Structure formats: C-alpha cells, structure tokens
Amino acid sequence: HLHSRFSSLRSALAPSPASLHLCLFAFAMPKRARADSKDVLAEQMSIDLASGKAVTGKKLGIALVGLGRSGAFHLTSIKNLPEFTKLEWAIDVDEARAKSVAKDMGCKSSTSLDPALADPAVDIVIIASTTDTHFPFIMKSLKAKKAIFAEKPISHEVHEVQEAVDLALKSNLPFVCGYQRRSDLNFRALKEQLSNGAIGQLKMIKSCSRDNPVPPLEYLRTSGGIFQDMLIHDFDMQEWLSGGQVPESVLAVGHCYSPEIQQMGDLDIVAVMVKYPSGLVTMIDTCRDASYGYDQRIEAFGAKGMLTAKNETTSSVELATAEGHLMPPAKWSFPERYNHAYMVELSEFVALVRAGVNSEAHKLEQKEMQRHPRVVKTAWAAELSWRLGRQVRLDEDLHALQRQVSEAAKKR
C-alpha cells in the first residue's frame, strides 16, 4: 500500500515500506526542529501510521477551491493522505473540470464556494484559485469557522492582509498562507545551519529566482505583477532566514523585454537590494524566464563563512570526457522543482489542524502569520522604488507615494 502511494520516490531513495511513508512528512525536516512545531507533529503522524498504530480522530473534510496548476498539487497531496483527510468538495469556475474531479474523488462539485462553507463535513478550505479571489474566499471561510490553507498572496493590499490575519487570530482558527520554499529540503537545511550559528552573524543574503517558462498571459494579468507574484517569495524567504528582521529600505531596478508584459505596465526582469537596521543587506535577482530551466539559489554570508543552496538539476550525474564536462540540465519549471515541498506543506497543515487550537504548534503558527502584512508591504515598497526611480524607506507614507505614482501616470 505504501509502496504504491510513493512509488515516485522509491527509485531514488530505495527505503523500506515504513521509511518510504516518512518521506512525505519528514524528508524536509531540520535536524533540530522544535518539538512542538507542525513539522515534528507531521513526522510523528507519519511514524505512527508506518508502525501500524491505529489512526485516531475523524478524517478532516476538505473543500478544494481552484483546480488548476496549484490545485492539482494539493489534489495529489490529498490523495496521499487517505487516513487523515477526505475531499468533500471540488470547486472551480470550470464546471466540467469540477465535475470530473468530483467523479474521480467521489465527492461533491460546485462552481461556488458557498455550498461547501455551509457543509458541516468541511473542516478545511484549501484556496488555490486565481489570485484576485484569495482575499474574499479567505474572509468567507474564516467567517464560516473553517481552517484555511491558502496559496499566496492573501491579498496585494496591506490593509486586507492585516484584516485577514486579525480575523484568523480573533477566531482562533488555523490559517496558513503557503510559501512552498519554506518546505523545501535544501532551504530548510540552509535555515537550520543558519539557526545553529554555522556562519556567525548574518551579514548578507543573495537569492536568485528565475522562472521558466514565462507564465500564460492570462495568469499574468491577474497575478499582481512581478513584485507581488514572484519577488514576494524572496521577501518571505528573507524574513525567514533573517529570523524575522524587518527591512529599513529597499531599492529596485528593472526592465521589460516582452512587449506583451510591457503593455500590462509590468516588468520581466528585476534586481532588488534591501537594507536592515542590523546592517544586514539582501539582494535578489529575478526574471520571468530562463532558457536553461528553473533557477532557484540562495547564498548566505556571515562573519564565520558562507552557506549556499545550489539550483536543483534533473540528476547529480556529470559526464566527463576528452571534450569536457557535461552537466545535467536544471529542472524545467516549478512543478518539478517543488513537487515534494507542496506535499510537505499540506501534510504539516493537516498535522497542525489535528493538533487542535490549544496546541503549542497552533500558537507558534499564530505568531508566524503576523509576518504577512510586513512581507506584502516590502513588495509594495519595492515596486514603488522602481516606479519612482529611487530608494524607498519602509517608514515612509507608501499611500502618499502611490498617489504620486498614479498622478505621474495620468500626466504621461
């Protein structure tokens, strides 16, 4: 049973059936994770299952909203958690798609979230719909007293993000906004060594985030632009790796090579520099495409040394001949790069919900969710920096700067 569910990992890892099941939850865990964190709870959940221990508690009913690219990842994760979850509703604006998934999963379908929110069998709402629907769906789900796992962003507006976080805290409900890089094996290993003081005082972080291929234009039109869609991942990683440091100022420059993207008033290549009160400096380079494949790297420099998370390739095999060295190609796009991270993040969310609102894991997550307004504000300040052509301090009145940008655009 376990072999069939995780056959994709078998050839690479060749573990026993019990340890194979552990891969889903524990493979991306830091060695010294907090004993009360959701990743440790997920590992224990997996260990208990693999050892034959009876699963206690009800299966958590899930409503999945959005059955496109991100929704497909979560659907796979739900299929891999049959002892703990049951898909109750498949929801998508494409009625035929929703009905097809519902038939395959043995659940109900709808083009609206409302019937699922009224269903007492639904414990969790997973929001993987288009970006512009996230905030209203989050607020509706919180008011219906459902636990929520939402794809980023909560919203592009800082005040809406704050409103959602405040309601989640007031309602005491599990609420996680998924930034899948935090669940990645390599980045967790880098974060673990940072936390253990491997390089001493952190002085600089460099991140490279080059997408591939260019997303569909219909997606880009509602994505919020490169700052809120792509760079926000890097700002979240900087928050995580720096231990929650808050930026002081940001400077962004960019260009657009694509005429279609340029017509949207957006960029396709950006470089950002962020300064922190501690002296920490971070740098990001990002691009909508890279001809050689998906490229995600991080370098952390400190007083005692450097940590590097290299880009993932399709294998670790290098061919050396008289003609030189031939390296394997990079993974093609984010579905290949973060397939495992998507499984890990949802598994940990399920463990969090099962632990209950009185658990230490829930309290930790309530602290974590308070970062979201800061991250969105940083992305907003970076975009304003590019539009104004100058460095922007985070303590400036960003609304006033936005009005300045809008007025200048009207004059052009």
Side-chain angles (χ1 to χ4, degrees):
H1 175 60
L2 297 175
H3 272 291
S4 64
R5 284 163 56 191
F6 299 102
S7 58
S8 63
L9 297 174
R10 185 192 301 116
S11 60
L13 301 175
S16 66
S19 63
L20 186 57
H21 195 108
L22 298 182
C23 293
L24 177 59
F25 305 125
F27 193 62
M29 275 190 53
K31 294 179 180 178
R32 295 179 59 191
R34 291 188 57 160
D36 48 8
S37 59
K38 66 180 184 290
D39 46 1
V40 174
L41 293 175
E43 182 191 31
Q44 188 59 52
M45 188 169 75
S46 181
I47 290 171
D48 291 345
L49 185 61
S51 65
K53 186 175 179 179
V55 176
T56 58
K58 62 163 283 190
K59 288 187 180 182
L60 297 170
I62 295 177
L64 175 57
V65 189
L67 303 172
R69 293 192 304 174
S70 296
F73 287 119
H74 298 308
L75 189 61
T76 298
S77 298
I78 293 167
K79 290 177 179 179
N80 283 328
L81 295 166
E83 294 87 357
F84 305 103
T85 65
K86 182 180 186 302
L87 186 64
E88 297 285 352
W89 287 86
I91 304 163
D92 197 273
V93 292
D94 184 335
E95 185 176 12
R97 178 187 287 175
K99 285 183 175 179
S100 175
V101 171
K103 182 179 179 181
D104 179 55
M105 296 294 290
C107 68
K108 297 177 278 292
S109 69
S110 178
T111 57
S112 168
L113 176 59
D114 294 340
L117 295 182
D119 187 348
V122 173
D123 304 291
I124 293 172
V125 177
I126 299 175
I127 299 171
S129 47
T130 55
T131 297
D132 55 330
T133 65
H134 289 190
F135 177 68
F137 285 172
I138 287 168
M139 297 303 285
K140 272 189 171 185
S141 301
L142 286 172
K143 290 172 183 177
K145 305 300 181 185
K146 308 297 184 184
I148 300 171
F149 182 94
E151 283 296 313
K152 66 84 192 162
I154 296 169
S155 168
H156 300 136
E157 302 293 333
V158 177
H159 72 276
E160 288 185 345
V161 177
Q162 189 65 62
E163 187 179 343
V165 169
D166 288 345
L167 182 57
L169 291 170
K170 181 181 178 181
S171 306
N172 200 28
L173 290 165
F175 174 39
V176 169
C177 183
Y179 285 89
Q180 81 275 11
R181 294 187 198 178
R182 290 187 176 222
S183 299
D184 175 71
L185 166 69
N186 303 304
F187 297 150
R188 281 193 173 182
L190 187 147
K191 166 64 174 174
E192 175 66 10
Q193 292 205 49
L194 266 180
S195 299
N196 290 342
I199 61 171
Q201 181 185 10
L202 183 60
K203 295 182 176 182
M204 187 178 293
I205 301 173
K206 292 181 183 178
S207 64
C208 170
S209 299
R210 298 171 189 166
D211 206 349
N212 186 64
V214 177
L217 294 178
E218 56 268 26
Y219 168 81
L220 293 178
R221 289 189 183 96
T222 61
S223 70
I226 197 168
F227 289 92
Q228 294 285 354
D229 182 47
M230 283 189 70
L231 282 154
I232 200 165
H233 280 286
D234 297 278
F235 296 134
D236 182 70
M237 284 293 285
Q238 291 174 357
E239 165 103 12
W240 185 46
L241 296 175
S242 70
Q245 292 190 46
V246 179
E248 179 179 81
S249 64
V250 59
L251 175 65
V253 296
H255 184 73
C256 193
Y257 288 93
S258 164
E260 294 83 6
I261 295 176
Q262 189 173 34
Q263 286 179 0
M264 301 176 196
D266 198 8
L267 303 171
D268 55 18
I269 189 165
V270 177
V272 182
M273 182 173 290
V274 185
K275 177 74 167 54
Y276 294 76
S278 68
L280 173 67
V281 174
T282 66
M283 290 169 278
I284 309 163
D285 82 69
T286 191
C287 189
R288 281 294 186 186
D289 72 320
S291 60
Y292 53 88
Y294 198 71
D295 191 357
Q296 304 271 285
R297 288 170 277 142
I298 290 179
E299 178 184 296
F301 173 74
K304 295 181 181 178
M306 178 178 71
L307 288 165
T308 304
K310 298 180 180 180
N311 196 34
E312 281 200 2
T313 55
T314 53
S315 78
S316 62
V317 178
E318 176 183 348
L319 171 65
T321 69
E323 280 128 25
H325 291 251
L326 181 63
M327 305 292 292
K331 292 185 176 180
W332 179 245
S333 192
F334 81 95
E336 294 80 21
R337 174 64 178 84
Y338 290 115
N339 180 47
H340 180 261
Y342 276 103
M343 291 193 290
V344 169
E345 66 177 1
L346 188 60
S347 302
E348 292 178 353
F349 181 70
V350 168
L352 174 69
V353 176
R354 283 172 56 85
V357 298
N358 294 319
S359 67
E360 286 301 310
H362 179 72
K363 294 173 185 175
L364 283 172
E365 207 59 40
Q366 287 186 312
K367 292 179 182 177
E368 280 291 322
M369 74 172 71
Q370 294 180 53
R371 79 186 190 272
H372 295 306
R374 296 194 299 269
V375 172
V376 174
K377 183 178 180 180
T378 303
W380 183 22
E383 181 172 356
L384 288 170
S385 170
W386 161 61
R387 293 190 182 278
L388 292 168
R390 68 169 177 86
Q391 185 180 44
V392 169
R393 291 184 58 86
L394 273 291
D395 59 7
E396 291 188 66
D397 184 343
L398 300 191
H399 291 283
L401 295 183
Q402 187 66 61
R403 288 192 294 271
Q404 183 180 334
V405 167
S406 300
E407 289 167 6
K410 290 177 184 177
K411 294 177 181 178
R412 285 200 294 269

